[in-house]
Amino acid sequence: MDPLLRKEKRLTPSSPIDARKGALEVLTILRDAGFETYFAGGCVRDRLLSTAPTEYDIATAATPDEIRSIFPKAKNVGESFGVMLVRKNETTYDVATFRSDGEYKDHRHPTNVTFTDAKHDAMRRDFTINGLFEDPIEDKIIDFVGGKEDLEARIIRAIGDPHQRLADDHLRMLRAVRFAAYFSFSVEAETAEAIREHAPHLSGVSKERIGNELRRMLSHQNRGVAAWELQYLGLDVSILGEGSILTAPTRVGRLPAIADFPTALAAWIIDRHTSEANLQNIAKNWREQLLLSNREFSALQEILALHTTLGSWESLGIAKMKRLASADRFPSALAILQAEDRPMFVFVKQAISKLLKTGLAPEPFITGDDLVAIGIPSTPDIGTILNGVYDAQLEGGITSKIDAMALAKVIAADILGDNIT
Ligand code: ATP
Ligand code: MG
């Protein structure tokens, strides 16, 4: 997707085969009209890496006016940048005129663009592996930037002078880390040096973009490499708004391949602040820095709290163990425990399979209505009574509704100081 068009809504294809088929149709129509046209950027890279792309960007010598005369329904968002949206087979494709980016004033967007040829269009792209074109008709790769070689050598290298290219657009630093982690590539030395130099500044890059990049990195199975690279290159300071930490993010790295963003964030917070008493305060800061959604933030808070409780597993009573093990986010806390202390993880897992025999979260024997029916006033005390009764049920101390009602009366008398019959 063209970087100048982030917010545009688009239709996505139902399969990689459909994506390519539609892209090929658009490209063929432009070619038949006499315009040099290629597939460009990420889709070329991904195909060479043997992963089937679902997003195809098309780069062409046709100007926006020419594109519109060929595809009258093309949407002209970003027309001044030379990017049009063309719909084909229920899929939206970016069709972008070959361009050079003008001067960058805000470290993120060029102030103007000039229409140019394929070579210069390749040179305005960020990394050599993202600067390739594919001619699907001749079945050829067109490489003006040494991208094929770097793809084979598994290297992320800025196109042109890395200092200038990263200074122009600070987001490129985060993209470098994301691509390095996704593909297990290394960042070429000069590019890495330039990132280190510019890392303290992420000016021009919104918190939303920073959060999105981190969301993508930490949701991927190579999240450990991403976290490590961010720390190693000094980007952690500006994205997280806290001091530099070089402790290896081992919990993040050892999470199961499938782990969601809040789980990975919790693991990273613990990795970075092992000795810190109040991880919740750090979570609050991360929420602001990364513009986390309410849902992500409350998941993060819950995982951190569960992780803390899990730390004193052996001293919890059976009821507390069962309540903990049936919490929504317990699997995340357990995944972090697995990453930090395998013997303890095995111990807890075994204990849980024993607890499962008597049910982790059985249906409560009684409800608030049962208590109101025997004359207990409908106040928050009802919750306290029900909790006490449910604890006894979880512990196996009571085994029927009759037992539960008897216990409820005892607790009620204790709390309310009344004799309830
Ligand atoms: P993915 O879609 O998996 O993030 P991608 O390489 O396709 O990877 P996009 O953000 O979709 O990334 O961008 C498409 C292409 O546009 C890139 O391959 C690259 O050539 C170019 N590009 C994107 N962002 C930038 C940028 N910040 N600076 C320079 N070129 C960029
Ligand atoms: Mg893309």
PDB file of all heavy atoms in Angstrom, residues 269 278-290 292 297 300-301 304:
ATOM      1  N   ILE A 269       7.119  -5.762  29.171  1.00  0.00           N
ATOM      2  CA  ILE A 269       7.178  -4.910  30.372  1.00  0.00           C
ATOM      3  C   ILE A 269       7.915  -5.661  31.485  1.00  0.00           C
ATOM      4  O   ILE A 269       8.785  -5.104  32.156  1.00  0.00           O
ATOM      5  CB  ILE A 269       5.754  -4.525  30.844  1.00  0.00           C
ATOM      6  CG1 ILE A 269       5.158  -3.461  29.916  1.00  0.00           C
ATOM      7  CG2 ILE A 269       5.779  -4.001  32.294  1.00  0.00           C
ATOM      8  CD1 ILE A 269       3.869  -2.824  30.394  1.00  0.00           C
ATOM      9  N   ASN A 278       5.918  -1.560  40.677  1.00  0.00           N
ATOM     10  CA  ASN A 278       4.616  -1.227  40.118  1.00  0.00           C
ATOM     11  C   ASN A 278       4.581  -1.268  38.590  1.00  0.00           C
ATOM     12  O   ASN A 278       4.760  -0.268  37.900  1.00  0.00           O
ATOM     13  CB  ASN A 278       4.172   0.147  40.611  1.00  0.00           C
ATOM     14  CG  ASN A 278       2.688   0.331  40.406  1.00  0.00           C
ATOM     15  OD1 ASN A 278       2.075  -0.385  39.617  1.00  0.00           O
ATOM     16  ND2 ASN A 278       2.117   1.275  41.125  1.00  0.00           N
ATOM     17  N   LEU A 279       4.341  -2.463  38.095  1.00  0.00           N
ATOM     18  CA  LEU A 279       4.309  -2.623  36.634  1.00  0.00           C
ATOM     19  C   LEU A 279       3.084  -1.939  36.030  1.00  0.00           C
ATOM     20  O   LEU A 279       3.098  -1.546  34.867  1.00  0.00           O
ATOM     21  CB  LEU A 279       4.299  -4.116  36.274  1.00  0.00           C
ATOM     22  CG  LEU A 279       5.545  -4.904  36.690  1.00  0.00           C
ATOM     23  CD1 LEU A 279       5.421  -6.362  36.299  1.00  0.00           C
ATOM     24  CD2 LEU A 279       6.806  -4.312  36.048  1.00  0.00           C
ATOM     25  N   GLN A 280       2.032  -1.793  36.823  1.00  0.00           N
ATOM     26  CA  GLN A 280       0.811  -1.169  36.291  1.00  0.00           C
ATOM     27  C   GLN A 280       1.063   0.286  35.883  1.00  0.00           C
ATOM     28  O   GLN A 280       0.484   0.772  34.922  1.00  0.00           O
ATOM     29  CB  GLN A 280      -0.335  -1.241  37.313  1.00  0.00           C
ATOM     30  CG  GLN A 280      -0.761  -2.658  37.669  1.00  0.00           C
ATOM     31  CD  GLN A 280      -1.534  -3.372  36.543  1.00  0.00           C
ATOM     32  OE1 GLN A 280      -1.818  -2.788  35.509  1.00  0.00           O
ATOM     33  NE2 GLN A 280      -1.844  -4.643  36.735  1.00  0.00           N
ATOM     34  N   ASN A 281       1.929   0.978  36.640  1.00  0.00           N
ATOM     35  CA  ASN A 281       2.248   2.364  36.275  1.00  0.00           C
ATOM     36  C   ASN A 281       2.970   2.426  34.940  1.00  0.00           C
ATOM     37  O   ASN A 281       2.761   3.342  34.142  1.00  0.00           O
ATOM     38  CB  ASN A 281       3.164   2.993  37.335  1.00  0.00           C
ATOM     39  CG  ASN A 281       2.346   3.577  38.456  1.00  0.00           C
ATOM     40  OD1 ASN A 281       1.130   3.741  38.306  1.00  0.00           O
ATOM     41  ND2 ASN A 281       2.991   3.858  39.579  1.00  0.00           N
ATOM     42  N   ILE A 282       3.836   1.437  34.731  1.00  0.00           N
ATOM     43  CA  ILE A 282       4.563   1.407  33.459  1.00  0.00           C
ATOM     44  C   ILE A 282       3.586   1.133  32.320  1.00  0.00           C
ATOM     45  O   ILE A 282       3.639   1.752  31.257  1.00  0.00           O
ATOM     46  CB  ILE A 282       5.697   0.370  33.516  1.00  0.00           C
ATOM     47  CG1 ILE A 282       6.718   0.877  34.542  1.00  0.00           C
ATOM     48  CG2 ILE A 282       6.346   0.160  32.163  1.00  0.00           C
ATOM     49  CD1 ILE A 282       7.627  -0.142  35.072  1.00  0.00           C
ATOM     50  N   ALA A 283       2.644   0.231  32.593  1.00  0.00           N
ATOM     51  CA  ALA A 283       1.627  -0.071  31.573  1.00  0.00           C
ATOM     52  C   ALA A 283       0.861   1.200  31.191  1.00  0.00           C
ATOM     53  O   ALA A 283       0.544   1.423  30.016  1.00  0.00           O
ATOM     54  CB  ALA A 283       0.674  -1.146  32.073  1.00  0.00           C
ATOM     55  N   LYS A 284       0.573   2.043  32.172  1.00  0.00           N
ATOM     56  CA  LYS A 284      -0.163   3.289  31.882  1.00  0.00           C
ATOM     57  C   LYS A 284       0.645   4.182  30.938  1.00  0.00           C
ATOM     58  O   LYS A 284       0.109   4.791  30.016  1.00  0.00           O
ATOM     59  CB  LYS A 284      -0.439   4.048  33.183  1.00  0.00           C
ATOM     60  CG  LYS A 284      -1.701   3.575  33.847  1.00  0.00           C
ATOM     61  CD  LYS A 284      -2.070   4.498  35.008  1.00  0.00           C
ATOM     62  CE  LYS A 284      -2.859   3.689  36.021  1.00  0.00           C
ATOM     63  NZ  LYS A 284      -2.535   3.987  37.414  1.00  0.00           N
ATOM     64  N   ASN A 285       1.931   4.251  31.206  1.00  0.00           N
ATOM     65  CA  ASN A 285       2.785   5.060  30.334  1.00  0.00           C
ATOM     66  C   ASN A 285       2.818   4.487  28.915  1.00  0.00           C
ATOM     67  O   ASN A 285       2.720   5.225  27.932  1.00  0.00           O
ATOM     68  CB  ASN A 285       4.207   5.128  30.919  1.00  0.00           C
ATOM     69  CG  ASN A 285       5.131   5.931  30.040  1.00  0.00           C
ATOM     70  OD1 ASN A 285       4.743   6.992  29.546  1.00  0.00           O
ATOM     71  ND2 ASN A 285       6.331   5.426  29.793  1.00  0.00           N
ATOM     72  N   TRP A 286       2.910   3.159  28.801  1.00  0.00           N
ATOM     73  CA  TRP A 286       2.946   2.526  27.477  1.00  0.00           C
ATOM     74  C   TRP A 286       1.640   2.776  26.727  1.00  0.00           C
ATOM     75  O   TRP A 286       1.612   2.951  25.523  1.00  0.00           O
ATOM     76  CB  TRP A 286       3.210   1.011  27.596  1.00  0.00           C
ATOM     77  CG  TRP A 286       4.644   0.677  27.929  1.00  0.00           C
ATOM     78  CD1 TRP A 286       5.522   1.437  28.650  1.00  0.00           C
ATOM     79  CD2 TRP A 286       5.355  -0.502  27.544  1.00  0.00           C
ATOM     80  NE1 TRP A 286       6.736   0.799  28.751  1.00  0.00           N
ATOM     81  CE2 TRP A 286       6.659  -0.399  28.081  1.00  0.00           C
ATOM     82  CE3 TRP A 286       5.022  -1.635  26.819  1.00  0.00           C
ATOM     83  CZ2 TRP A 286       7.627  -1.388  27.909  1.00  0.00           C
ATOM     84  CZ3 TRP A 286       5.982  -2.636  26.640  1.00  0.00           C
ATOM     85  CH2 TRP A 286       7.272  -2.502  27.183  1.00  0.00           C
ATOM     86  N   ARG A 287       0.552   2.778  27.497  1.00  0.00           N
ATOM     87  CA  ARG A 287      -0.745   3.029  26.860  1.00  0.00           C
ATOM     88  C   ARG A 287      -0.728   4.381  26.143  1.00  0.00           C
ATOM     89  O   ARG A 287      -1.176   4.516  25.010  1.00  0.00           O
ATOM     90  CB  ARG A 287      -1.840   3.036  27.926  1.00  0.00           C
ATOM     91  CG  ARG A 287      -3.142   3.491  27.365  1.00  0.00           C
ATOM     92  CD  ARG A 287      -4.108   3.939  28.415  1.00  0.00           C
ATOM     93  NE  ARG A 287      -5.451   3.641  27.957  1.00  0.00           N
ATOM     94  CZ  ARG A 287      -6.530   3.760  28.665  1.00  0.00           C
ATOM     95  NH1 ARG A 287      -6.456   4.146  29.905  1.00  0.00           N
ATOM     96  NH2 ARG A 287      -7.695   3.473  28.166  1.00  0.00           N
ATOM     97  N   GLU A 288      -0.166   5.371  26.826  1.00  0.00           N
ATOM     98  CA  GLU A 288      -0.109   6.707  26.228  1.00  0.00           C
ATOM     99  C   GLU A 288       0.863   6.778  25.068  1.00  0.00           C
ATOM    100  O   GLU A 288       0.588   7.368  24.035  1.00  0.00           O
ATOM    101  CB  GLU A 288       0.308   7.727  27.277  1.00  0.00           C
ATOM    102  CG  GLU A 288      -0.870   8.186  28.073  1.00  0.00           C
ATOM    103  CD  GLU A 288      -0.467   9.146  29.167  1.00  0.00           C
ATOM    104  OE1 GLU A 288       0.564   9.838  28.998  1.00  0.00           O
ATOM    105  OE2 GLU A 288      -1.181   9.177  30.177  1.00  0.00           O
ATOM    106  N   GLN A 289       2.023   6.170  25.269  1.00  0.00           N
ATOM    107  CA  GLN A 289       3.061   6.226  24.235  1.00  0.00           C
ATOM    108  C   GLN A 289       2.625   5.552  22.955  1.00  0.00           C
ATOM    109  O   GLN A 289       2.994   5.955  21.865  1.00  0.00           O
ATOM    110  CB  GLN A 289       4.343   5.533  24.729  1.00  0.00           C
ATOM    111  CG  GLN A 289       5.059   6.256  25.839  1.00  0.00           C
ATOM    112  CD  GLN A 289       5.655   7.565  25.359  1.00  0.00           C
ATOM    113  OE1 GLN A 289       6.125   7.674  24.230  1.00  0.00           O
ATOM    114  NE2 GLN A 289       5.617   8.562  26.199  1.00  0.00           N
ATOM    115  N   LEU A 290       1.877   4.460  23.101  1.00  0.00           N
ATOM    116  CA  LEU A 290       1.558   3.625  21.937  1.00  0.00           C
ATOM    117  C   LEU A 290       0.104   3.758  21.503  1.00  0.00           C
ATOM    118  O   LEU A 290      -0.327   3.071  20.594  1.00  0.00           O
ATOM    119  CB  LEU A 290       1.856   2.146  22.257  1.00  0.00           C
ATOM    120  CG  LEU A 290       3.284   1.868  22.703  1.00  0.00           C
ATOM    121  CD1 LEU A 290       3.423   0.459  23.254  1.00  0.00           C
ATOM    122  CD2 LEU A 290       4.255   2.055  21.527  1.00  0.00           C
ATOM    123  N   LEU A 292      -2.620   2.731  22.943  1.00  0.00           N
ATOM    124  CA  LEU A 292      -3.291   1.424  23.009  1.00  0.00           C
ATOM    125  C   LEU A 292      -4.799   1.634  23.085  1.00  0.00           C
ATOM    126  O   LEU A 292      -5.266   2.624  23.668  1.00  0.00           O
ATOM    127  CB  LEU A 292      -2.838   0.649  24.251  1.00  0.00           C
ATOM    128  CG  LEU A 292      -1.349   0.354  24.386  1.00  0.00           C
ATOM    129  CD1 LEU A 292      -1.084  -0.442  25.668  1.00  0.00           C
ATOM    130  CD2 LEU A 292      -0.843  -0.416  23.176  1.00  0.00           C
ATOM    131  N   PHE A 297      -5.464  -2.173  26.528  1.00  0.00           N
ATOM    132  CA  PHE A 297      -4.934  -1.742  27.818  1.00  0.00           C
ATOM    133  C   PHE A 297      -5.526  -2.573  28.961  1.00  0.00           C
ATOM    134  O   PHE A 297      -4.799  -3.002  29.862  1.00  0.00           O
ATOM    135  CB  PHE A 297      -5.218  -0.252  28.027  1.00  0.00           C
ATOM    136  CG  PHE A 297      -4.715   0.268  29.340  1.00  0.00           C
ATOM    137  CD1 PHE A 297      -3.372   0.148  29.689  1.00  0.00           C
ATOM    138  CD2 PHE A 297      -5.580   0.870  30.242  1.00  0.00           C
ATOM    139  CE1 PHE A 297      -2.901   0.620  30.908  1.00  0.00           C
ATOM    140  CE2 PHE A 297      -5.119   1.352  31.462  1.00  0.00           C
ATOM    141  CZ  PHE A 297      -3.775   1.221  31.791  1.00  0.00           C
ATOM    142  N   LEU A 300      -3.871  -5.861  28.995  1.00  0.00           N
ATOM    143  CA  LEU A 300      -2.510  -5.734  29.518  1.00  0.00           C
ATOM    144  C   LEU A 300      -2.508  -5.655  31.042  1.00  0.00           C
ATOM    145  O   LEU A 300      -1.744  -6.346  31.728  1.00  0.00           O
ATOM    146  CB  LEU A 300      -1.849  -4.487  28.900  1.00  0.00           C
ATOM    147  CG  LEU A 300      -0.485  -4.074  29.439  1.00  0.00           C
ATOM    148  CD1 LEU A 300       0.548  -5.180  29.246  1.00  0.00           C
ATOM    149  CD2 LEU A 300       0.011  -2.789  28.736  1.00  0.00           C
ATOM    150  N   GLN A 301      -3.414  -4.831  31.580  1.00  0.00           N
ATOM    151  CA  GLN A 301      -3.505  -4.702  33.046  1.00  0.00           C
ATOM    152  C   GLN A 301      -3.835  -6.043  33.688  1.00  0.00           C
ATOM    153  O   GLN A 301      -3.247  -6.435  34.691  1.00  0.00           O
ATOM    154  CB  GLN A 301      -4.615  -3.708  33.418  1.00  0.00           C
ATOM    155  CG  GLN A 301      -4.257  -2.262  33.192  1.00  0.00           C
ATOM    156  CD  GLN A 301      -5.427  -1.367  33.560  1.00  0.00           C
ATOM    157  OE1 GLN A 301      -6.518  -1.518  33.030  1.00  0.00           O
ATOM    158  NE2 GLN A 301      -5.211  -0.457  34.485  1.00  0.00           N
ATOM    159  N   LEU A 304      -0.872  -8.526  33.604  1.00  0.00           N
ATOM    160  CA  LEU A 304       0.164  -8.181  34.590  1.00  0.00           C
ATOM    161  C   LEU A 304      -0.294  -8.559  36.000  1.00  0.00           C
ATOM    162  O   LEU A 304       0.482  -9.115  36.791  1.00  0.00           O
ATOM    163  CB  LEU A 304       0.497  -6.690  34.527  1.00  0.00           C
ATOM    164  CG  LEU A 304       1.276  -6.226  33.290  1.00  0.00           C
ATOM    165  CD1 LEU A 304       1.388  -4.704  33.271  1.00  0.00           C
ATOM    166  CD2 LEU A 304       2.669  -6.871  33.229  1.00  0.00           C
TER     167      LEU A 304
END
